[in-house]
Amino acid sequence: MREKSNVQYSAILAIILVLVALQSVYGDNPYRYYTWKITYGNIYPLGVKQQGILINGQFPGPQIDCVTNDNLIISVYNYLNEPFLISWNGIQQRRNSWQDGVYGTTCPIPPGKNFTYTLQAKDQIGSYFYFPSLAMHKAAGGYGAIRVYSRPRIPVPFAPPARDFTVLAGDLYKRSHRQLKYILDSGHDLPLPDGLIINGRGWNGYTFTVDQGKTYRFRISNVGIATSINFRIEGHTMKLVEVEGSHTLQTTYTSLDIHLGQSYSVLVTANQPPKDYYVVVSSRFTKRVLTTTAVLHYSNSWTKVSGPLPGGPTTQINWSIYQARSIRWNLTASGPRPNPQGSYHYGLIKPSRTIMLANSAPYINGKQRYAVNSVSFVDPDTPLKLADYFNIGGVFNLGSISDQPYNGNAYIGTPVMAANFRSYVEIIFQNWENTVQSWHIDGYSFFVVGMDGGQWTPSSRSRYNLRDTVARCTTQVYPKSWTAIYMALDNVGMWNIRSENWSRRYLGQQFYLRVYSPANSWRDELPIPKNALLCGKARGHHTRPL
């Protein structure tokens, strides 16, 4: 009898420990609940009827406002006639790549079904956005803003603005996302987009209303799929204060380059004579310059916008490089925690590994593809994270992409790079093409230590900024140039490293980084969600009972 009682006691104790561990996953931080219905709907931003992807009938979708460490419970109902996934650009999913919302980690939501994401804005502040990650859905909408505010007791290095504006700007095609996918599947690249939009609207279609003398925060994200943009406001300067979760030195700009997938926060003071002013977004590094406008309306204005638009840069690369180098970390400002940002001395840590990633545009089997270190990624039938968790063979091989560019012919594969938890790496993005690249790494914020023209060599390290460069999640690489980053691999999981040019990503310019801890502990990585969708070879497996 005593042996039976001990067994029962051990079972009860195990259940209690599991429940305590689950509670500790999210602790006592506030919960915010959302219900989203994904549908098709007609949109008219470029003056013609298009089929857009709406969330709760909105384009762009609902804005997420939260505070550091808040828990976000987002129930997504897919009313499309095709599978759907949402990813969270810049939200790091600490210990939780299960919720990343890209096909390498998460099964799509089937038509007519729903899935509930459980996210936490763990130890983050700043401006980000979400977007649909499957196929070419991003070209049809389905995106929206994410704002992560500082906790009340954590000082912010500027006075509270009179209002906080969101600017979701980017390119748009008149063709449907299915037509764009067909072009890419046929082996061709996409043409230049048909136009630019601001918050889902075309020319002068959106208005920001301000009171004279007050200061406003503009959170600007490039949510397009193909082009870098330049943002400016007629007659006003912009004081940069935040870049993807990093408070910056408060440098003043008259215009700002924002590359694909990037987000910036600026302060704008309404200190001009009362009238209406143009808010201008124009394309960068394109043969034909695309332009759109919104309106900055003074509340006491009776004068509509008129006259020529304020000019901005078009194809000048050096101008953009100098601006990028001028963006610096505010070392004395607190981030999500009360300690100063500069208390983390990233430049004093010696990387244990150097990885060089070279993008290319090969033709494989007569079709246009894009590659990283000569491997052009194709999605397997089973998400990589699920294959890894259930030990399913035949889905991917670790080490199937080299740390250095490969000079042989490009080939199609499912590349996954192996990396060790808590290592510190140097990554060089080497670009030998004539186009600007934009690279994003899920699950992480990294330090952009250097960028320059030509071939990177070890001597290039002498030009690194090892003191006050910003930490961010998306960086640009200029034509025939390199960009170097430092990154602490402190987040276990399967993480997507990708081009933010969506046709390039769709045709293979991406891979996954598997950051592994042998401890197999919830302290390092959260367990598979109980509600995880199972697809491909993972069908028939089980998640967990609790």
Side-chain angles (χ1 to χ4, degrees), residues 48-115:
V48 298
K49 183 170 75 172
Q50 300 174 243
Q51 185 187 70
I53 294 178
L54 313 181
I55 302 180
N56 293 350
Q58 301 176 40
F59 170 66
Q63 181 169 285
I64 295 175
D65 289 303
C66 63
V67 176
T68 301
N69 290 352
D70 279 359
N71 299 295
L72 309 175
I73 312 300
I74 306 172
S75 188
V76 178
Y77 289 81
N78 178 17
Y79 289 99
L80 308 184
N81 59 4
E82 53 191 321
F84 186 76
L85 263 180
I86 292 182
S87 191
W88 320 89
N89 210 73
I91 300 300
Q92 293 176 14
Q93 314 291 357
R94 304 297 301 177
R95 303 183 296 143
N96 200 12
S97 64
W98 304 107
Q99 305 288 348
D100 200 29
V102 289
Y103 188 73
T105 62
T106 313
C107 291
I109 307 170
K113 302 296 183 180
N114 85 295
F115 177 74

Side-chain angles (χ1 to χ4, degrees), residues 13-43:
L13 179 61
I15 291 173
I16 291 172
L17 290 174
V18 168
L19 292 173
V20 169
L22 286 172
Q23 178 65 24
S24 68
V25 166
Y26 301 112
D28 296 324
N29 296 298
Y31 283 74
R32 298 175 186 266
Y33 295 88
Y34 303 84
T35 299
W36 288 356
K37 296 181 179 180
I38 313 300
T39 61
Y40 296 119
N42 293 330
I43 57 175

Side-chain angles (χ1 to χ4, degrees), residues 313-343:
T314 54
T315 59
Q316 303 91 330
I317 292 174
N318 286 338
W319 185 97
S320 191
I321 292 176
Y322 293 146
Q323 182 179 88
R325 289 173 176 164
S326 72
I327 299 171
R328 302 297 180 91
W329 219 20
N330 186 337
L331 299 181
T332 62
S334 295
R337 297 183 178 184
N339 51 301
Q341 292 182 149
S343 63

Side-chain angles (χ1 to χ4, degrees), residues 120-136:
Q120 187 182 28
K122 177 67 175 172
D123 290 337
Q124 285 189 263
I125 59 167
S127 309
Y128 310 99
F129 63 93
Y130 61 85
F131 67 96
S133 63
L134 280 187
M136 293 300 291

